[in-house]
Amino acid sequence: MRITSTSCICPVLFCLCFVQRCYGAAHHGSIKVTRNQTKHIEGETEVHHRPKRGWVWNQFFVLEEHMGPDPQYVGKLHSNSDKGDGSVKYILTGEGAGTIFIIDDTTGDIHSTKSLDREQKTHYVLHAQAIDRRTNKPLEPESEFIIKVQDINDNAPKFTDGPYIVTVPEMSEMGTSVLQVTATDADDPTYGNSARVVYSILQGQPYFSVDPKTGVIRTALHNMDREAREHYSVVIQAKDMAGQVGGLSGSTTVNITLTDVNDNPPRFPQTQVGSAVGKIKANDADTGSNADMKYTIINGDGAGVFSISTDKETREGILSLKKPLNYEKKKSYTLNIEGANTHLDFRFSHLGPFKDVTMLKIIVGDVDEPPLFTMPSYVMDVYENAKIGTAVGTVTAQDPDTANSLVRYFIDHNTEEDRYFTIDANTGTIKTAKIFDREETPWYNITVAASEIDNPGLVSHVPVGVRILDVNDNPPELAREYDIVVCENAKPGQVIQTITATDKDNSANGARFHFSLDEGPSLNPNFTLRDNEDNTASILTRRRKYSRTTQDIYYLLVLISDGGVPPLSSSSTLTIRVCACERDGRVRTCHAEAFLSSAGLSTGALIAILLCVVILLVFSLAIVVLFITLRRSKKEPLIISEEDVRENVVTYDDEGGGEEDTEAFDITALRNPSAAEELKYRRDVRPEVKPAPRHHHSSSLDSVDVQEFIKQRLAEADLDPSVPPYDSLQTYAYEGHRSEAGSISSLDSVTTHSDQDYNYLGDWGPEFKKLAELYGEIESERTT
């Protein structure tokens, strides 16, 4: 676009907003016209004396295949004359205006209303204009701009010419070009890697390969033989995004046929055992059954090699092979064959024997045979950890023919194990191709083939077993993880655990293990180790009485060494837990954490239990407070008699002297009935019935029996209707007779500790376990 000075009548600024990508002015080659100067595409500059304004624009971009619910934002048109009051109207015309692209005539925003396909149309040419909404006069001259459809990776590579059919001569050199395939991608090649294709082979390895950039297919093996395999189906894949994850791909099939070359000389077929090698016939002038005959080999050096049978229809003797022939050992055989009539007429027996004998010489023809190995199978040995290229052994094969052709050796790579070894093609020496580990795989089976250099088609095979010999490269280690427990009441020298060890090496390098403790300069005061010399060791206590509260876990470092050459050793740490045990040695508990763990209580359950305990404590405290409050608010009686019998209630903390104690309170009232008032009424209750008169027997103070007096007063109280219907406090200082049970105090015990046997405490249940342990330990110490 060229902008001249005459076109710069009205100033305008074309502001572009991009959604997917921001392009600078230099990137798009934008044209910018500034004041007093216009810069043309050709680089011309014109200077003016009055201010000028012009267009500034770039390309718009819109993303293809947009599937959003809202129209896609493209960009924005803006004029310097637009003050934001809505007086400027923007108009859009050109390709897709109003159908694909719409514009907000007030703001100048451009949106795309349809999903676009870059492969159908790459860009759209539109025109923009700003006019005065009131006068409909243009504020800016009409300007042309382009909306370019931005590419996404939505097209997979395609092979337009596939599938392919191609030929290549057999026995071609490795790397011979077979065919070049080409895949096309409809995406934009100038944007990103959407159209950058990389080729790979999905099927056809290891016979063929493909160049990832050019798509040229080449042979990947030497001497591909048509007689062994003629047709190959190769699948080639093309993937865009330079082969990265997420790229789209397409594939095609290439059918490759090996064409024949003259690589095999003519050969006579070798006679097989059981096949016919020739025919013989004796003539008989008779006809019919009189001419029937039977052929028999009667002698000769080939009697055990050949056999003969009779064809009844043709009356011929069919000579067959019973054993394989070897030209190099015997080149010819001689047979004496007899032909005799099967139906004899004794009337004419005088005419002579009805049979005849002939001598047959058989010449063995020489054929080319495959090489013959000196042994039907081989077994070889190699040490583990041997370096790559270490010789394992040698196989030998020879050409049994008189030509004695040279032999070529190779390994059939049919299995993964065959790839672990290499062989010298001339000498037959087998070498290692990896470092072996006997503990991983102790034996390998491979197949070695031998062929004549002059005739590669004749191949013989022999199995080879490779045994991996052991070296002492694995230190011994504990057979398993041990959970060792020592009881708190353990005694010195007590065996608490027996440990064993294992070694991955075979018995020659690890049959005998030695155990010891890594005690350092100081002796372990808690535990010791005893080597049982049978690949086991015992852990013993060195002291008595372990305490969980003092230390609940001990760590013991054990060293284990083997008897290999050179000897190897390892160290393992044993964890010993201190636990409380029963008298028979059963573990009762170890520590709180273990108990909670064994009970299966999670953190949430513990929190719930603690919360319940807190709630119960709060509830109990509330009940106590309520009870105390009710006690304090209890009303006192309205009238309390000054002579109430409760005045005689005395509280004291000593045991007292019983009936003889007269100092604690006045006992005269009890001993002298006449001293008490004859009749007393409760002042707070009016009796409805007058009390019955009481009769007291006068007696002297010394003759009064207190017990009888109490019984008498009790009977009067029961029969007196004026007594209140509730209990009243009456105190009688009569203790009664001496108890027949006797004293339960231990002060009178005359026994000593040595006379007591506390073993019965262990039978009283779990509540007395601790008491049984304490008295059991005292008794054990006293016995010791």
Side-chain angles (χ1 to χ4, degrees), residues 574-644:
L574 298 177
T575 302
I576 304 175
R577 296 184 298 143
V578 180
C579 299
C581 304
E582 303 287 351
R583 298 187 66 183
D584 56 359
R586 291 180 300 168
V587 176
R588 188 167 72 244
T589 181
C590 290
H591 46 77
E593 290 76 10
F595 173 77
L596 294 177
S597 222
S598 63
L601 296 179
S602 62
T603 305
L606 292 176
I607 294 176
I609 292 174
L610 293 176
L611 185 60
C612 293
V613 172
V614 171
I615 293 176
L616 290 176
L617 291 176
V618 173
F619 185 70
S620 302
L621 183 61
I623 293 177
V624 171
V625 173
L626 180 61
F627 179 75
I628 294 174
T629 304
L630 293 176
R631 286 284 304 271
R632 291 180 177 179
S633 60
K634 185 178 180 181
K635 295 182 179 180
E636 297 294 336
L638 296 178
I639 302 174
I640 300 178
S641 175
E642 296 179 357
E643 299 178 356
D644 197 330

Coordinates of all heavy atoms in Angstrom, one line a residue, residues 574-644:
L574 N 19.8 -54.9 64.5 CA 18.7 -55.5 65.1 C 18.0 -54.6 66.1 O 18.7 -53.9 66.9 CB 19.1 -56.8 65.8 CG 19.7 -57.9 64.9 CD1 20.1 -59.1 65.8 CD2 18.7 -58.3 63.8
T575 N 16.7 -54.5 66.1 CA 16.0 -53.7 67.0 C 15.3 -54.6 68.1 O 14.6 -55.5 67.8 CB 14.9 -52.9 66.3 OG1 15.5 -52.1 65.3 CG2 14.1 -52.0 67.3
I576 N 15.7 -54.3 69.4 CA 15.2 -55.1 70.5 C 14.2 -54.2 71.3 O 14.6 -53.2 71.8 CB 16.3 -55.6 71.3 CG1 17.3 -56.4 70.4 CG2 15.8 -56.5 72.5 CD1 18.5 -56.9 71.2
R577 N 13.0 -54.7 71.5 CA 12.0 -54.0 72.3 C 11.9 -54.6 73.7 O 11.9 -55.8 73.8 CB 10.7 -54.0 71.6 CG 10.7 -53.2 70.3 CD 9.3 -53.2 69.7 NE 8.8 -54.5 69.4 CZ 7.5 -54.9 69.6 NH1 6.6 -54.1 70.1 NH2 7.1 -56.1 69.3
V578 N 11.7 -53.7 74.7 CA 11.5 -54.2 76.1 C 10.0 -54.2 76.3 O 9.3 -53.2 76.1 CB 12.2 -53.2 77.1 CG1 12.0 -53.7 78.5 CG2 13.7 -53.1 76.7
C579 N 9.5 -55.4 76.8 CA 8.1 -55.6 77.0 C 7.8 -56.2 78.3 O 8.7 -56.9 78.9 CB 7.5 -56.5 75.9 SG 7.7 -55.8 74.2
A580 N 6.6 -56.0 78.8 CA 6.2 -56.7 80.0 C 5.6 -58.0 79.7 O 4.8 -58.1 78.7 CB 5.1 -55.8 80.7
C581 N 6.0 -59.1 80.3 CA 5.7 -60.4 80.0 C 5.0 -61.1 81.1 O 5.1 -60.8 82.3 CB 6.9 -61.2 79.6 SG 7.9 -60.5 78.2
E582 N 4.3 -62.2 80.8 CA 3.7 -63.1 81.8 C 4.8 -64.0 82.4 O 6.0 -63.9 82.0 CB 2.6 -64.0 81.2 CG 1.5 -63.3 80.5 CD 0.6 -62.6 81.4 OE1 0.7 -62.9 82.6 OE2 -0.3 -61.8 81.0
R583 N 4.5 -64.7 83.4 CA 5.5 -65.6 84.1 C 6.0 -66.7 83.2 O 7.1 -67.1 83.3 CB 4.9 -66.2 85.4 CG 4.4 -65.2 86.4 CD 4.0 -65.8 87.7 NE 5.1 -66.5 88.4 CZ 5.0 -67.2 89.5 NH1 3.8 -67.3 90.0 NH2 6.0 -67.8 90.0
D584 N 5.1 -67.1 82.2 CA 5.6 -68.1 81.3 C 6.3 -67.5 80.1 O 6.6 -68.3 79.1 CB 4.4 -69.0 80.8 CG 3.3 -68.1 80.2 OD1 3.4 -66.9 80.2 OD2 2.2 -68.6 79.8
G585 N 6.5 -66.2 80.0 CA 7.3 -65.6 78.9 C 6.4 -65.0 77.9 O 7.0 -64.3 76.9
R586 N 5.1 -65.1 77.9 CA 4.3 -64.5 76.9 C 4.3 -63.0 77.1 O 4.2 -62.5 78.2 CB 2.8 -65.0 77.0 CG 2.7 -66.5 76.6 CD 1.3 -66.9 76.7 NE 0.8 -66.8 78.1 CZ -0.5 -66.9 78.4 NH1 -1.4 -67.1 77.5 NH2 -0.8 -66.8 79.7
V587 N 4.3 -62.3 75.9 CA 4.3 -60.8 76.0 C 2.9 -60.3 76.3 O 2.0 -60.7 75.7 CB 4.8 -60.2 74.6 CG1 4.8 -58.7 74.6 CG2 6.2 -60.7 74.3
R588 N 2.9 -59.4 77.3 CA 1.6 -58.8 77.7 C 1.5 -57.4 77.0 O 0.4 -57.2 76.4 CB 1.5 -58.7 79.2 CG 0.1 -58.2 79.7 CD -0.1 -58.4 81.1 NE 0.7 -57.4 81.9 CZ 1.6 -57.7 82.8 NH1 2.0 -59.0 82.9 NH2 2.3 -56.8 83.4
T589 N 2.4 -56.6 77.1 CA 2.4 -55.3 76.5 C 3.8 -54.7 76.4 O 4.7 -55.1 77.2 CB 1.5 -54.3 77.2 OG1 1.5 -53.0 76.5 CG2 2.0 -54.0 78.7
C590 N 4.0 -53.9 75.5 CA 5.4 -53.3 75.3 C 5.4 -51.8 75.7 O 6.1 -51.4 76.5 CB 5.8 -53.5 73.8 SG 6.2 -55.2 73.4
H591 N 4.6 -51.0 75.1 CA 4.5 -49.6 75.5 C 3.1 -49.1 75.0 O 2.4 -49.8 74.3 CB 5.6 -48.8 74.9 CG 5.9 -49.0 73.4 ND1 5.1 -48.6 72.4 CD2 6.8 -49.8 72.8 CE1 5.5 -49.0 71.3 NE2 6.6 -49.7 71.5
A592 N 2.8 -47.9 75.4 CA 1.5 -47.3 75.2 C 1.2 -47.2 73.7 O 0.1 -47.5 73.2 CB 1.3 -46.0 75.9
E593 N 2.2 -46.8 72.9 CA 2.0 -46.6 71.5 C 1.7 -47.9 70.9 O 0.8 -48.0 70.0 CB 3.3 -46.0 70.9 CG 3.5 -44.6 71.2 CD 4.1 -44.4 72.6 OE1 4.5 -45.5 73.2 OE2 4.2 -43.3 73.1
A594 N 2.4 -49.0 71.3 CA 2.1 -50.3 70.7 C 0.7 -50.8 71.0 O 0.0 -51.4 70.2 CB 3.1 -51.3 71.1
F595 N 0.3 -50.5 72.3 CA -1.1 -50.9 72.7 C -2.1 -50.2 71.9 O -3.1 -50.9 71.4 CB -1.2 -50.7 74.2 CG -2.6 -50.9 74.7 CD1 -3.1 -52.2 74.9 CD2 -3.5 -49.9 74.9 CE1 -4.4 -52.5 75.3 CE2 -4.8 -50.1 75.3 CZ -5.2 -51.4 75.5
L596 N -2.0 -49.0 71.8 CA -3.0 -48.2 71.0 C -3.0 -48.7 69.6 O -4.0 -48.7 68.9 CB -2.7 -46.7 71.1 CG -2.9 -46.1 72.5 CD1 -2.6 -44.6 72.5 CD2 -4.4 -46.3 73.0
S597 N -1.8 -49.0 69.0 CA -1.7 -49.4 67.7 C -2.3 -50.7 67.5 O -3.0 -50.9 66.5 CB -0.2 -49.5 67.3 OG 0.0 -49.0 66.1
S598 N -2.1 -51.6 68.4 CA -2.7 -52.9 68.3 C -4.2 -52.9 68.4 O -4.9 -53.7 67.9 CB -2.1 -53.9 69.3 OG -2.4 -53.5 70.6
A599 N -4.7 -52.0 69.2 CA -6.1 -51.9 69.4 C -6.8 -51.3 68.2 O -8.0 -51.3 68.1 CB -6.4 -51.0 70.7
G600 N -6.1 -50.7 67.3 CA -6.6 -50.2 66.1 C -7.3 -48.8 66.3 O -8.2 -48.5 65.6
L601 N -6.9 -48.0 67.3 CA -7.5 -46.7 67.6 C -6.8 -45.7 66.7 O -5.6 -45.5 66.8 CB -7.4 -46.4 69.0 CG -8.1 -47.3 70.0 CD1 -7.9 -46.9 71.4 CD2 -9.6 -47.4 69.7
S602 N -7.5 -45.0 65.9 CA -7.0 -43.9 65.1 C -6.9 -42.7 65.9 O -7.4 -42.6 67.0 CB -7.8 -43.8 63.9 OG -9.1 -43.4 64.2
T603 N -6.4 -41.6 65.3 CA -6.3 -40.3 66.0 C -7.7 -39.8 66.2 O -8.0 -39.2 67.3 CB -5.4 -39.4 65.1 OG1 -4.2 -40.0 64.9 CG2 -5.3 -38.0 65.8
G604 N -8.6 -39.9 65.3 CA -9.9 -39.4 65.4 C -10.7 -40.1 66.6 O -11.4 -39.5 67.3
A605 N -10.4 -41.5 66.7 CA -11.1 -42.2 67.8 C -10.6 -41.7 69.2 O -11.3 -41.6 70.1 CB -10.9 -43.7 67.6
L606 N -9.2 -41.5 69.3 CA -8.7 -41.0 70.5 C -9.2 -39.6 70.9 O -9.6 -39.4 72.1 CB -7.2 -40.9 70.4 CG -6.4 -42.3 70.3 CD1 -5.0 -42.1 70.1 CD2 -6.7 -43.1 71.5
I607 N -9.4 -38.8 69.9 CA -9.9 -37.4 70.2 C -11.4 -37.6 70.7 O -11.8 -36.9 71.6 CB -9.8 -36.6 68.9 CG1 -8.4 -36.3 68.6 CG2 -10.6 -35.3 69.1 CD1 -8.1 -35.5 67.3
A608 N -12.1 -38.5 70.0 CA -13.5 -38.7 70.5 C -13.6 -39.2 71.9 O -14.5 -38.7 72.7 CB -14.2 -39.6 69.5
I609 N -12.7 -40.1 72.2 CA -12.7 -40.7 73.6 C -12.4 -39.6 74.6 O -13.0 -39.4 75.7 CB -11.7 -41.8 73.7 CG1 -12.2 -43.0 72.9 CG2 -11.5 -42.3 75.2 CD1 -11.3 -44.2 72.8
L610 N -11.3 -38.8 74.3 CA -11.0 -37.7 75.2 C -12.1 -36.7 75.4 O -12.3 -36.1 76.5 CB -9.7 -37.0 74.7 CG -8.4 -37.8 74.7 CD1 -7.3 -37.1 74.1 CD2 -8.1 -38.2 76.2
L611 N -12.8 -36.4 74.3 CA -13.9 -35.5 74.3 C -15.0 -36.0 75.2 O -15.6 -35.3 76.0 CB -14.4 -35.2 72.9 CG -15.6 -34.1 72.8 CD1 -15.1 -32.8 73.3 CD2 -16.0 -34.0 71.4
C612 N -15.3 -37.3 75.1 CA -16.3 -37.9 76.0 C -15.9 -37.8 77.5 O -16.7 -37.5 78.4 CB -16.6 -39.3 75.6 SG -17.3 -39.5 74.0
V613 N -14.6 -38.1 77.8 CA -14.2 -38.0 79.1 C -14.3 -36.6 79.7 O -14.8 -36.4 80.8 CB -12.7 -38.4 79.2 CG1 -12.1 -38.2 80.6 CG2 -12.6 -39.9 78.9
V614 N -14.0 -35.6 78.9 CA -14.1 -34.2 79.3 C -15.6 -33.9 79.6 O -15.9 -33.2 80.6 CB -13.5 -33.2 78.3 CG1 -13.9 -31.8 78.6 CG2 -12.0 -33.4 78.2
I615 N -16.5 -34.3 78.7 CA -17.9 -34.1 78.9 C -18.4 -34.7 80.2 O -19.2 -34.1 81.0 CB -18.7 -34.6 77.7 CG1 -18.4 -33.7 76.5 CG2 -20.2 -34.5 78.0 CD1 -19.0 -34.2 75.2
L616 N -18.0 -35.9 80.5 CA -18.4 -36.6 81.7 C -17.8 -35.9 83.0 O -18.5 -35.7 84.0 CB -17.8 -38.1 81.7 CG -18.5 -39.0 80.7 CD1 -17.9 -40.4 80.8 CD2 -20.0 -39.1 81.1
L617 N -16.6 -35.4 82.9 CA -16.0 -34.6 84.0 C -16.8 -33.4 84.3 O -17.1 -33.0 85.4 CB -14.6 -34.3 83.8 CG -13.6 -35.5 83.8 CD1 -12.2 -35.0 83.4 CD2 -13.6 -36.2 85.1
V618 N -17.2 -32.6 83.2 CA -18.0 -31.4 83.4 C -19.3 -31.7 84.0 O -19.8 -31.0 84.8 CB -18.1 -30.7 82.0 CG1 -19.0 -29.5 82.1 CG2 -16.7 -30.2 81.5
F619 N -20.0 -32.8 83.5 CA -21.3 -33.2 84.0 C -21.2 -33.6 85.4 O -22.1 -33.2 86.2 CB -21.8 -34.3 83.1 CG -23.2 -34.7 83.5 CD1 -24.3 -33.9 83.2 CD2 -23.5 -35.9 84.1 CE1 -25.6 -34.3 83.5 CE2 -24.7 -36.3 84.4 CZ -25.8 -35.5 84.1
S620 N -20.2 -34.3 85.8 CA -20.0 -34.7 87.2 C -19.8 -33.5 88.1 O -20.4 -33.4 89.2 CB -18.9 -35.7 87.4 OG -19.1 -36.8 86.6
L621 N -19.0 -32.5 87.6 CA -18.8 -31.3 88.4 C -20.0 -30.5 88.6 O -20.3 -30.0 89.7 CB -17.7 -30.5 87.7 CG -17.3 -29.2 88.4 CD1 -16.7 -29.5 89.8 CD2 -16.3 -28.4 87.6
A622 N -20.9 -30.5 87.6 CA -22.2 -29.7 87.7 C -23.1 -30.4 88.7 O -23.8 -29.7 89.5 CB -22.8 -29.7 86.3
I623 N -23.1 -31.7 88.8 CA -23.9 -32.4 89.7 C -23.4 -32.1 91.2 O -24.2 -31.9 92.1 CB -23.9 -34.0 89.4 CG1 -24.6 -34.2 88.1 CG2 -24.5 -34.7 90.6 CD1 -24.6 -35.7 87.7
V624 N -22.1 -32.1 91.3 CA -21.6 -31.8 92.7 C -21.9 -30.4 93.1 O -22.4 -30.2 94.3 CB -20.0 -32.0 92.7 CG1 -19.4 -31.5 94.0 CG2 -19.7 -33.5 92.5
V625 N -21.8 -29.5 92.2 CA -22.1 -28.1 92.6 C -23.6 -28.0 92.9 O -24.0 -27.3 93.9 CB -21.8 -27.1 91.4 CG1 -22.3 -25.7 91.7 CG2 -20.2 -27.1 91.2
L626 N -24.5 -28.7 92.1 CA -25.9 -28.6 92.4 C -26.2 -29.2 93.8 O -27.1 -28.7 94.5 CB -26.7 -29.3 91.3 CG -28.2 -29.4 91.4 CD1 -28.8 -28.0 91.4 CD2 -28.8 -30.2 90.3
F627 N -25.6 -30.3 94.1 CA -25.8 -31.0 95.4 C -25.4 -30.1 96.5 O -26.1 -30.0 97.5 CB -25.0 -32.3 95.4 CG -25.2 -33.1 96.7 CD1 -26.4 -33.8 96.9 CD2 -24.2 -33.1 97.6 CE1 -26.5 -34.4 98.1 CE2 -24.3 -33.8 98.8 CZ -25.5 -34.5 99.1
I628 N -24.3 -29.4 96.4 CA -23.8 -28.5 97.5 C -24.8 -27.4 97.6 O -25.1 -26.9 98.8 CB -22.4 -28.0 97.2 CG1 -21.4 -29.2 97.2 CG2 -22.0 -27.0 98.2 CD1 -20.0 -28.9 96.8
T629 N -25.2 -26.9 96.5 CA -26.2 -25.7 96.6 C -27.5 -26.1 97.3 O -28.0 -25.4 98.1 CB -26.5 -25.2 95.2 OG1 -25.3 -24.9 94.5 CG2 -27.4 -24.0 95.2
L630 N -28.0 -27.3 97.0 CA -29.2 -27.8 97.6 C -29.0 -28.0 99.1 O -29.9 -27.7 100.0 CB -29.7 -29.1 97.0 CG -30.2 -28.9 95.5 CD1 -30.6 -30.3 94.9 CD2 -31.4 -28.0 95.5
R631 N -27.8 -28.5 99.5 CA -27.5 -28.7 100.9 C -27.5 -27.4 101.7 O -28.0 -27.3 102.8 CB -26.2 -29.4 101.1 CG -26.2 -30.9 100.7 CD -26.8 -31.7 101.8 NE -26.1 -31.5 103.1 CZ -25.1 -32.2 103.5 NH1 -24.6 -33.2 102.7 NH2 -24.6 -32.0 104.7
R632 N -27.0 -26.4 101.1 CA -26.9 -25.1 101.7 C -28.2 -24.4 101.8 O -28.5 -23.6 102.8 CB -25.9 -24.2 101.0 CG -24.5 -24.6 101.1 CD -23.5 -23.7 100.4 NE -22.1 -24.1 100.6 CZ -21.1 -23.4 100.0 NH1 -21.4 -22.4 99.2 NH2 -19.9 -23.9 100.2
S633 N -29.1 -24.7 100.9 CA -30.4 -24.0 100.9 C -31.5 -24.8 101.7 O -32.6 -24.4 101.7 CB -30.9 -23.8 99.5 OG -31.1 -25.1 98.9
K634 N -31.1 -25.9 102.4 CA -32.1 -26.7 103.2 C -32.5 -25.9 104.5 O -31.6 -25.3 105.2 CB -31.4 -28.0 103.6 CG -32.4 -28.9 104.3 CD -31.7 -30.2 104.6 CE -32.7 -31.2 105.4 NZ -32.0 -32.4 105.7
K635 N -33.8 -25.8 104.8 CA -34.3 -25.0 105.9 C -34.1 -25.8 107.2 O -34.2 -27.0 107.3 CB -35.8 -24.8 105.7 CG -36.1 -23.9 104.5 CD -37.6 -23.7 104.4 CE -37.9 -22.8 103.2 NZ -39.4 -22.5 103.1
E636 N -33.8 -25.0 108.3 CA -33.7 -25.5 109.6 C -35.0 -25.8 110.2 O -36.0 -25.1 109.8 CB -32.8 -24.6 110.5 CG -31.5 -24.3 110.0 CD -30.6 -25.6 110.1 OE1 -30.9 -26.5 111.0 OE2 -29.6 -25.7 109.4
P637 N -35.2 -26.7 111.2 CA -36.5 -26.9 111.9 C -36.9 -25.6 112.5 O -36.2 -24.7 113.0 CB -36.2 -28.0 112.9 CG -34.9 -28.6 112.4 CD -34.2 -27.6 111.7
L638 N -38.3 -25.4 112.6 CA -38.9 -24.2 113.2 C -38.6 -24.1 114.7 O -38.2 -23.1 115.2 CB -40.4 -24.2 113.0 CG -40.8 -24.2 111.5 CD1 -42.3 -24.3 111.4 CD2 -40.3 -22.9 110.8
I639 N -38.8 -25.2 115.5 CA -38.5 -25.2 116.9 C -37.6 -26.3 117.3 O -37.9 -27.5 116.9 CB -39.9 -25.4 117.7 CG1 -40.8 -24.2 117.3 CG2 -39.6 -25.4 119.2 CD1 -42.2 -24.4 117.9
I640 N -36.6 -26.0 118.0 CA -35.6 -27.1 118.4 C -35.6 -27.1 119.9 O -35.4 -26.0 120.5 CB -34.2 -26.8 117.8 CG1 -34.3 -26.8 116.3 CG2 -33.2 -27.8 118.4 CD1 -32.9 -26.5 115.7
S641 N -35.9 -28.2 120.5 CA -36.0 -28.3 121.9 C -34.6 -28.1 122.5 O -33.6 -28.7 122.0 CB -36.6 -29.6 122.4 OG -36.6 -29.7 123.7
E642 N -34.6 -27.3 123.6 CA -33.3 -27.2 124.2 C -32.8 -28.5 124.9 O -31.7 -28.7 125.1 CB -33.4 -26.1 125.3 CG -33.6 -24.7 124.7 CD -33.7 -23.7 125.8 OE1 -33.7 -24.0 127.0 OE2 -33.9 -22.5 125.4
E643 N -33.8 -29.3 125.2 CA -33.5 -30.6 125.8 C -33.5 -31.7 124.8 O -33.8 -32.9 125.2 CB -34.5 -30.8 127.0 CG -34.4 -29.8 128.0 CD -35.4 -30.0 129.1 OE1 -36.2 -31.0 129.0 OE2 -35.4 -29.3 130.1
D644 N -33.4 -31.4 123.5 CA -33.4 -32.4 122.5 C -32.3 -33.4 122.8 O -31.2 -33.0 123.2 CB -33.3 -31.8 121.1 CG -33.7 -32.8 120.0 OD1 -33.6 -34.0 120.2 OD2 -34.1 -32.3 119.0

